[in-house]
Amino acid sequence: MYMGVGDRETICAVSTPAGYGGISVIRLSGPSSFRFVRKLANSLPETPESHKVYYAKLKDSSGLQIDEVLVTFFTTGRSFTGDEVVEIACHGNPYICETILTQLVLLGAKPAGRGEFTFRAFMNGRMDLVQAEGVLSLIEGDSLSARKLAMRQLAGHLSRTLALIEDDLIFCLAHIEASIDFSGEGLATLSDLDLRSRLSGIEGSLKELVGTYKRGKIIKHGFKVALVGLPNVGKSSLLNMICQEEKAIVSPFAGTTRDLVSNEILFEGNKICFVDSAGLRGGKLDLVEAMGIEKSRALAQEADLVIFIFDLFGGLTEEDLAEIDRVHPYAERFIVLGNKADLVEDPKSKYQDEMRLLFKRLGSDLGGFDISAKDSSSRERLLKEVICTQIARPSEEGAVLSQLRHFEELSSALRGVSHSLTELGDGFGPEFFALGIREALFAIQRVLGKTYDDEILDRVFKEFCLGK
Amino acid sequence: MSIISDFDVIVVGAGHAGVEACLATSKLGLKTMLITTNTDRIGYMSCNPSIGGLAKGHMVREIDVLGGIMGQAADETCIQFKRLNASKGPAVRGSRVQSDKARYSQFVTDKILNQNLLVLKQAEVKRLLLQNGRCLGVVLDDDSKIFSRAVIITTGTFMNGVMHVGLSQIPGGRVGDRASVGISDQLRELGFSVRRLKTGTPARLLKSSILWEKTTPQYGDEKFFPFSIHSTGQYRLPQVACYISRTTPETHDIIRKNLDKSPMYTGIIEGIGPRYCPSIEDKVTRFSDRDSHQTFLEPEGLDSELIYLQGISTSLPESVQDDFLRTIPGLERVRVARYGYAVEYDFVEPTEIRHTLETRLVRGLFLAGQINGTSGYEEAAAQGLIAGLNAANFLFERPELILGRDQAYIGVLIDDLVTKGTREPYRMFTSRAEHRLVLREDNTIDRLSSIAEGQGLHHGDVLAKLSDISNRREALRVKLKEERINPRAAVQSKLVSMGSTELLKSVSFEELLRRPEISCTSLADLGFEIDLDPVVAESIEIEVKYSGYIKRQMELIKQAQQSEAMLLPESLDYFEVRGLSKEEADKLSFIRPRTLGQAQRISGVNPSGIQAIMVYLKGRFLQSGRELEIGRKPTKQS
């Protein structure tokens, strides 16, 4: 791994997903990339042209042919990483890939560490921090939409949007500073009115960006669904049915699930994360269970969707209603499922009766339906109708925030701009509203990696696992 | 061979930097020689007749509190005073005086002549005497040698100065004074990077030839806020007006038609001029959509026949100047006493000096003023003072004086120069100071008086005055915090009558003063016993009212300083850092920034370069497993 001292190493790795396929691509980056590959294929020219594809037969040191491949050469400064890069397209066979890699390593190439190509690209100024973070998300992204989002970040959507805001802020600052330092020279600086409208525009863009974080977070970390309800209404059974595996311990005794149990599934390209909580109960409890209930409440708060489950056979009890009262205000989205439909004769109408009762009490309509944890056909219905409709589709255009770091910085940028607007309205001097704009500018530059502190550095090191 | 020093310090040049430097060293007990080519031009205002302005006024107050002379000279010779940005917040208000040029120079000359241990000599310095990387004196034009233990060069625009009027050139740094040749060549030979800058000055007009009724008078402020702690609030001289007129489309036509006779537009001048003070040729060309530019007609003094034409600096030929000036209302029959001209001169890349203003290459050699690429009397004086104090600190083997960016505009000035260098004549602006809300005119004493005491330029009585002000301010701060006001009926009705709102509960007077509509005077009306002397009350009121903003500014700076706090090891080999271009490694190796923040401000070092350094250091740290000098806060600058 790169330590910054002495000769630079050449790294190599298979860049396509593992397994059998049409082709696999092996990528090398570093000063000896082409030299190493040429040792395996002496038909290649001594001085290749950049961005040109060469046909070659790769042979090992004993002269045994490994594969027929296509070799693409990228010269220093004109490649993904900024280094000299060679890409070998071989047949998509893990054995062939393995053999080629082994030969390259024998010649002196080093297997690339996680994110090391990206790291080199970042270090060589081929991408900014936001883009690099995009690549890392891509590597980690385990759902289709997460990968799409990361691709957009890599393509520079967010960087571009932020660069525009940065530019706008600098423009405003330039005018404000000119009005201070050259006040006597009759300059045509922006009027307070113009400034206000520009700042309002920036405020709007920032609000919109900050608003996408929720969506971005859902895409990146999954849509978080909390299953809550009184003990023994079948939350764990439901979780197992949805996830199609036995994860939660199920028993006929109330209070079996004491800690949070979670499971993730992929459904139609979306990552959905289910969390089963300790059954909520207000009465006297032993301490462990009390702590579990505490966690349940916190969970309801942070979940994207809270599903309250009750026993349809027994109907909504006073205890159920009391619990709904307690949890409902904390939840962003809230639906109610009537479980154990298999035990009820006409579950649909029973459910509707119960919901009317609930409507009377809450004065608002909560979505949901009857379900049976024993009937796996209701799984599809639950996922499609209830959950996927709740996951807002990100627009194909525009930037979306997915990293907490970005969200926090842009929130602070937004606060700065809002401050400035208030002070502008209150007739404060320009040196005061300049402050908020500077705060905003600084926050945005931090996101873009234009200013540096240990926090970003630490992140770089953590993400790129350097220094091993 | 032992060398006997004739003097402790030699100061070369008697402009605004030179006079501050030589007064500082001689006051501190060092035998000092001031050498100038023209003893009639000591502390002379070669260009505009004013001192101060935005950010510059701040510096004049800082110079004054630290023990310099500029503030007193400006106050004593003030013929018009204005507080700029009076309608804006207190941090960006700036005082400016227009001075009587002759009286200003006379005031400064008298101080020089009456100063113990200070010898004035008229001569031209040809070379520096050097031995073992140390400066040991100078050689004069008659080949005589004068030895000293330190040398401060403040030659302004005189190093290889060339004046341009039209297409003709005359060697010299100012009309009537010859250039000084030799030093910059020697500096170049020593390995200093010496480059060219350009500046310009407008025509001086004869007062009697102006049709004043066609211009608009502009008067100064009635209330005088003197720069100096030595001054009273009274004007010493009669106050005069300035007059405003404007260029016309005809003016612009004439200038455009004659650009082929301008040394700037024909490529004769290679030096870079200041963007913030463009010549009229520049203004007309760059802002071609404007058909008029404002100009101020400023008297150069009470007894002077000369009028300075602010905003119209030019290097066009004399006949063209005559032609275009006469298209300006009021100047139809004008007679020009001295035509405008441009000056090109040598300056030393300021990244070659340290924060003390001593050069990196030669010990005991200090540079101050325009030679470091700055522009302006105030910028020059500030550096002269710091160079003088640090030359003394160097000779007395005392700690260096380095003002922080959060302590003074002077700190910002010097840090900018030595870390960023400059491409154009550097002028101070309030926007250069990230600590702007703290660096106010009103709190100069709070910021600098203890430093001033340590440097020792003030007599005991001045120190007593400074500490009296500090003590009274501190007393008021404490009193405002401690004393509380209760929501009694009388208080409530009084508050309402003041345009404020009733109290909800008992609050401290400090909290009450934070309300925008409440002033120190209103506190007095509410029965709070208060020192209403503006020196005390005004400053504390500002401090209290803006404390919230100052806190936010501090937060912003703290964030920015996280990178500032990252110390770079002295031994760092930038050529080992992967990801740095050769140019970046060269620059960094030469400047040797102390912190990552400083490295970041070096022009030509790209963001990716900074990241490369961080990664390199962190990588080394991880590799060696021991604590590098990363993340440790730099020790407080003293």
Side-chain angles (χ1 to χ4, degrees):
Chain A
M1 184 59 80
Y2 159 64
M3 296 306 302
V5 184
D7 261 337
R8 302 253 329 283
E9 287 165 348
T10 295
I11 52 171
C12 61
V14 181
S15 305
T16 40
Y20 292 86
I23 56 163
S24 289
V25 174
I26 293 168
R27 185 187 270 162
L28 293 92
S29 178
S32 303
S33 299
F34 193 76
R35 197 167 59 83
F36 289 156
V37 176
R38 194 161 172 269
K39 285 200 176 157
L40 303 179
N42 51 20
S43 69
L44 289 172
E46 206 169 318
T47 46
E49 270 178 62
S50 189
H51 294 72
K52 194 169 165 180
V53 183
Y54 295 92
Y55 167 81
K57 286 178 177 155
L58 293 190
K59 291 173 184 162
D60 67 16
S61 47
S62 61
L64 208 69
Q65 182 171 322
I66 308 167
D67 195 10
E68 291 179 55
V69 297
L70 292 176
V71 173
T72 316
F73 173 73
F74 303 89
T75 192
T76 311
R78 292 186 58 202
S79 69
F80 164 68
T81 61
D83 289 345
E84 177 181 307
V85 164
V86 174
E87 287 180 358
I88 303 171
C90 61
H91 290 98
N93 175 322
Y95 172 73
I96 291 176
C97 292
E98 201 55 45
T99 311
I100 297 174
L101 277 184
T102 309
Q103 291 299 317
L104 290 171
V105 170
L106 283 174
L107 287 167
K110 292 274 183 313
R114 185 174 69 106
E116 197 176 359
F117 286 105
T118 311
F119 179 70
R120 291 196 170 192
F122 174 58
M123 284 304 302
N124 289 328
R126 303 295 292 182
M127 58 174 71
D128 62 29
L129 193 62
V130 175
Q131 286 174 305
E133 284 168 320
V135 177
L136 291 167
S137 301
L138 195 59
I139 296 166
E140 293 162 356
D142 42 13
S143 69
L144 185 66
S145 41
R147 273 188 225 119
K148 270 192 192 159
L149 176 64
M151 279 308 290
R152 277 200 286 167
Q153 196 166 320
L154 178 59
H157 271 78
L158 182 56
S159 302
R160 270 204 298 280
T161 307
L162 292 179
L164 285 176
I165 295 177
E166 182 196 17
D167 199 55
D168 240 11
L169 288 168
I170 291 174
F171 179 86
C172 290
L173 262 184
H175 276 260
I176 294 169
E177 296 301 351
S179 79
I180 295 173
D181 278 325
F182 300 96
S183 59
E185 299 186 20
L187 298 182
T189 51
L190 281 182
S191 68
D192 281 3
L193 205 67
D194 289 341
L195 199 58
R196 166 167 288 279
S197 87
R198 273 200 176 246
L199 284 177
S200 302
I202 296 171
E203 190 187 35
S205 314
L206 283 171
K207 264 192 190 146
E208 204 177 299
L209 268 179
V210 167
T212 64
Y213 176 62
K214 193 95 193 169
R215 233 162 52 198
K217 199 180 81 177
I218 290 171
I219 294 168
K220 186 157 185 248
H221 300 288
F223 185 77
K224 203 164 186 180
V225 181
L227 303 177
V228 299
L230 294 180
N232 211 23
V233 294
K235 296 187 295 297
S236 300
S237 308
L238 208 56
L239 176 71
N240 290 341
M241 183 267 280
I242 293 166
C243 302
Q244 296 171 316
E245 62 179 277
E246 292 284 320
K247 183 137 184 177
I249 309 159
V250 189
S251 87
F253 306 107
T256 307
T257 308
R258 296 202 168 180
D259 212 343
L260 301 178
V261 177
S262 71
N263 210 340
E264 288 173 9
I265 60 159
L266 275 177
F267 186 78
E268 294 186 347
N270 298 302
K271 186 157 109 180
I272 306 167
C273 178
F274 288 92
V275 187
D276 176 15
S277 67
L280 296 171
R281 203 166 60 177
K284 276 188 188 164
L285 306 157
D286 65 69
L287 191 63
V288 181
E289 206 178 308
M291 280 163 62
I293 288 172
E294 193 61 30
K295 274 192 191 171
S296 305
R297 295 237 167 87
L299 175 70
Q301 267 176 329
E302 71 184 58
D304 299 303
L305 170 67
V306 174
I307 299 182
F308 184 86
I309 299 154
F310 71 97
D311 184 340
L312 192 60
F313 181 70
L316 279 168
T317 62
E318 269 309 310
E319 250 187 317
D320 278 317
L321 294 172
E323 284 307 327
I324 290 175
D325 278 350
R326 247 170 271 176
V327 182
H328 181 235
Y330 297 111
E332 193 185 333
R333 301 186 186 88
F334 193 89
I335 63 165
V336 178
L337 292 184
N339 193 21
K340 308 189 185 176
D342 53 308
L343 302 179
V344 182
E345 214 164 282
D346 183 1
K348 197 155 267 160
S349 59
K350 176 95 199 284
Y351 177 80
Q352 278 162 3
D353 289 345
E354 295 293 342
M355 291 308 277
R356 265 193 291 278
L357 185 73
L358 195 57
F359 182 80
K360 258 191 214 155
R361 190 181 175 96
L362 292 177
S364 66
D365 212 356
L366 302 174
F369 50 86
D370 56 290
I371 194 167
S372 165
K374 290 189 175 150
D375 173 16
S376 58
S377 70
S378 46
R379 174 179 186 263
E380 184 100 344
R381 181 172 171 213
L382 176 66
L383 291 174
K384 261 212 165 97
E385 284 182 24
V386 180
I387 295 168
C388 285
T389 52
Q390 304 267 11
I391 301 176
R393 298 245 158 235
S395 65
E396 289 301 314
E397 297 296 308
V400 177
L401 297 186
S402 64
Q403 264 101 0
L404 180 62
R405 183 177 87 82
H406 299 170
F407 172 71
E408 286 173 349
E409 294 290 7
L410 294 184
S411 300
S412 109
L414 178 59
R415 274 196 301 279
V417 173
S418 306
H419 265 305
S420 287
L421 275 166
T422 315
E423 284 138 18
L424 192 58
D426 290 350
F428 274 65
E431 75 274 32
F432 296 106
F433 50 80
L435 183 63
I437 300 176
R438 270 184 204 283
E439 285 167 344
L441 183 61
F442 191 68
I444 283 170
Q445 288 178 335
R446 275 164 64 109
V447 174
L448 288 172
K450 287 188 174 177
T451 70
Y452 316 94
D453 60 33
D454 266 349
E455 227 175 287
I456 300 178
L457 180 63
D458 285 343
R459 185 186 151 81
V460 168
F461 275 90
K462 200 176 111 220
E463 300 284 2
F464 293 102
C465 65
L466 282 178
K468 274 185 200 151
Chain B
M1 186 188 84
S2 76
I3 292 168
I4 302 151
S5 296
D6 296 325
F7 289 88
D8 294 311
V9 180
I10 291 171
V11 177
V12 185
H16 301 279
V19 297
E20 296 289 357
C22 71
L23 284 171
T25 54
S26 53
K27 280 183 189 172
L28 292 173
L30 294 167
K31 207 174 154 199
T32 304
M33 173 176 264
L34 173 63
I35 305 176
T36 170
T37 52
N38 186 348
T39 50
D40 292 333
R41 287 279 185 262
I42 292 172
Y44 188 72
M45 303 165 99
S46 307
C47 196
N48 61 328
S50 58
I51 299 279
L54 290 161
K56 289 164 168 274
H58 290 74
M59 279 197 291
V60 178
R61 284 178 203 279
E62 290 170 0
I63 292 166
D64 188 69
V65 170
L66 289 170
I69 184 86
M70 177 169 260
Q72 284 175 70
D75 289 343
E76 287 293 320
T77 59
C78 170
I79 53 175
Q80 187 187 83
F81 171 82
K82 254 187 176 321
R83 193 174 235 199
L84 306 174
N85 279 346
S87 63
K88 298 187 174 120
V92 295
R93 283 177 208 149
S95 308
R96 190 190 64 190
V97 307
Q98 225 178 288
S99 276
D100 182 307
K101 276 189 173 182
R103 286 184 168 85
Y104 187 99
S105 176
Q106 193 53 54
F107 181 91
V108 175
T109 308
D110 288 347
K111 290 276 176 191
I112 300 275
L113 295 176
N114 292 317
Q115 178 61 44
N116 282 338
L117 294 174
L118 179 58
V119 175
L120 176 65
K121 185 173 179 68
Q122 180 161 308
E124 189 187 336
V125 171
K126 301 304 282 184
R127 290 186 71 77
L128 303 169
L129 286 167
L130 301 168
Q131 195 179 56
N132 300 331
R134 175 132 187 208
C135 190
L136 294 173
V138 299
V139 183
L140 302 182
D141 42 358
D142 62 1
D143 284 336
S144 62
K145 291 176 182 171
I146 303 171
F147 293 97
S148 70
R149 298 196 292 143
V151 172
I152 303 172
I153 305 183
T154 67
T155 45
T157 59
F158 284 74
M159 275 204 323
N160 282 340
V162 174
M163 293 179 290
H164 296 262
V165 184
L167 303 180
S168 62
Q169 297 117 53
I170 320 146
R174 176 175 56 215
V175 163
D177 289 307
R178 55 203 170 120
S180 78
V181 185
I183 301 177
S184 58
D185 290 339
Q186 189 188 7
L187 291 176
R188 213 177 262 123
E189 281 162 26
L190 286 169
F192 283 89
S193 159
V194 179
R195 295 192 291 129
R196 297 288 269 176
L197 283 177
K198 172 242 148 188
T199 188
T201 196
R204 309 300 195 275
L205 315 176
L206 284 177
K207 200 184 253 178
S208 52
S209 69
I210 294 167
L211 307 171
W212 294 103
E213 64 279 11
K214 295 199 174 177
T215 64
T216 316
Q218 204 192 33
Y219 300 95
D221 296 352
E222 267 181 32
K223 186 149 174 49
F224 181 39
F225 294 92
F227 286 118
S228 177
I229 48 174
H230 300 274
S231 307
T232 64
Q234 306 303 312
Y235 290 120
R236 301 296 291 262
L237 298 172
Q239 300 297 293
V240 300
C242 293
Y243 297 84
I244 301 176
S245 188
R246 308 192 67 92
T247 59
T248 59
E250 295 76 59
T251 323
H252 297 193
D253 271 350
I254 295 173
I255 291 167
R256 271 192 213 103
K257 276 187 200 129
N258 287 286
L259 283 179
D260 59 334
K261 301 182 189 75
S262 159
M264 307 258 302
Y265 284 83
T266 45
I268 294 176
I269 291 182
E270 51 183 60
I272 298 165
R275 280 173 302 174
Y276 49 82
C277 185
S279 62
I280 189 68
E281 294 95 297
D282 264 349
K283 286 187 187 176
V284 167
T285 315
R286 278 171 44 205
F287 306 101
S288 53
D289 52 326
R290 289 184 61 175
D291 55 9
S292 178
H293 294 279
Q294 187 173 267
T295 175
F296 288 91
L297 286 72
E298 301 177 340
E300 292 216 334
L302 294 178
D303 318 317
S304 169
E305 250 303 290
L306 299 184
I307 296 296
Y308 177 91
L309 191 62
Q310 203 240 63
I312 313 279
S313 89
T314 179
S315 51
L316 284 166
E318 296 175 356
S319 61
V320 180
Q321 291 192 33
D322 273 331
D323 287 351
F324 84 69
L325 287 176
R326 286 177 185 154
T327 61
I328 296 173
L331 305 186
E332 291 83 351
R333 295 206 304 255
V334 78
R335 275 180 298 128
V336 175
R338 213 155 50 222
Y339 289 93
Y341 57 91
V343 191
E344 258 191 305
Y345 55 96
D346 283 348
F347 80 107
V348 175
E349 182 68 67
T351 51
E352 317 228 344
I353 54 177
R354 302 172 53 234
H355 279 87
T356 56
L357 300 185
E358 187 182 21
T359 64
R360 291 170 190 280
L361 291 172
V362 181
R363 289 241 72 188
L365 178 65
F366 294 78
L367 307 182
Q370 275 171 303
I371 191 172
N372 289 335
T374 59
S375 144
Y377 310 142
E378 305 80 0
E379 286 83 350
Q383 291 172 69
L385 179 63
I386 299 297
L389 290 171
N390 274 323
N393 290 331
F394 169 65
L395 296 180
F396 291 135
E397 294 179 13
R398 288 197 307 212
E400 299 169 338
L401 171 64
I402 297 172
L403 295 174
R405 296 181 68 92
D406 55 348
Q407 284 177 314
Y409 271 95
I410 299 175
V412 176
L413 169 76
I414 293 174
D415 187 57
D416 275 354
L417 286 176
V418 309
T419 59
K420 286 191 216 160
T422 189
R423 298 178 51 79
E424 66 185 326
Y426 180 103
R427 174 178 145 187
M428 185 48 73
F429 299 112
T430 70
S431 55
R432 296 198 196 264
E434 65 277 30
H435 294 270
R436 178 163 65 191
L437 298 182
V438 178
L439 303 182
R440 302 188 306 270
E441 287 196 346
D442 67 81
N443 69 353
T444 315
I445 292 175
D446 301 337
R447 291 185 275 124
L448 296 174
S449 62
S450 68
I451 292 170
E453 191 174 350
Q455 294 299 314
L457 282 183
H458 287 305
H459 290 301
D461 53 336
V462 179
L463 288 177
K465 191 171 172 182
L466 288 175
S467 75
D468 173 58
I469 293 171
S470 299
N471 292 342
R472 281 158 65 203
R473 285 182 183 176
E474 187 54 28
L476 181 54
R477 269 186 207 111
V478 171
K479 201 163 144 59
L480 280 167
K481 265 197 182 59
E482 283 177 354
E483 289 189 23
R484 303 182 71 82
I485 180 163
N486 294 313
R488 282 177 290 116
V491 167
Q492 305 287 45
S493 63
K494 202 144 208 174
L495 279 172
V496 173
S497 74
M498 285 170 178
S500 190
T501 50
E502 295 190 349
L503 291 173
L504 295 173
K505 56 180 173 61
S506 149
V507 295
S508 71
F509 278 96
E510 184 189 296
E511 281 169 80
L512 188 60
L513 186 55
R514 283 207 198 107
R515 296 184 173 188
E517 66 281 0
I518 298 292
S519 66
C520 277
T521 324
S522 8
L523 294 191
D525 287 348
L526 287 163
F528 183 72
E529 261 182 59
I530 186 171
D531 185 347
L532 278 177
D533 181 350
V535 168
V536 176
E538 193 184 283
S539 159
I540 297 296
E541 187 177 319
I542 291 166
E543 198 177 292
V544 168
K545 285 215 186 305
Y546 300 115
S547 57
Y549 290 90
I550 292 167
K551 217 174 273 165
R552 268 170 64 199
Q553 183 186 259
M554 288 311 295
E555 185 52 40
L556 191 61
I557 291 165
K558 209 172 79 199
Q559 288 173 7
Q561 275 177 345
Q562 289 180 345
S563 58
E564 196 71 33
M566 202 160 169
L567 287 184
L568 298 175
E570 267 295 320
S571 58
L572 183 58
D573 180 354
Y574 290 99
F575 290 95
E576 266 196 10
V577 179
R578 186 195 139 205
L580 280 183
S581 69
K582 188 180 170 301
E583 191 207 346
E584 287 172 322
D586 278 335
K587 277 207 158 140
L588 289 160
S589 308
F590 182 76
I591 296 176
R592 294 232 139 261
R594 292 184 307 144
T595 65
L596 200 67
Q598 194 189 337
Q600 202 177 312
R601 290 193 298 274
I602 297 171
S603 69
V605 176
N606 298 309
S608 60
I610 300 295
Q611 262 151 358
I613 297 169
M614 293 201 308
V615 169
Y616 173 76
L617 289 175
K618 204 83 167 187
R620 253 184 24 172
F621 164 65
L622 291 170
Q623 189 180 39
S624 65
R626 71 190 157 79
E627 187 72 40
L628 269 181
E629 291 170 89
I630 304 178
R632 223 194 291 150
K633 296 255 183 288
T635 46
K636 179 112 181 98
Q637 290 162 353
S638 56

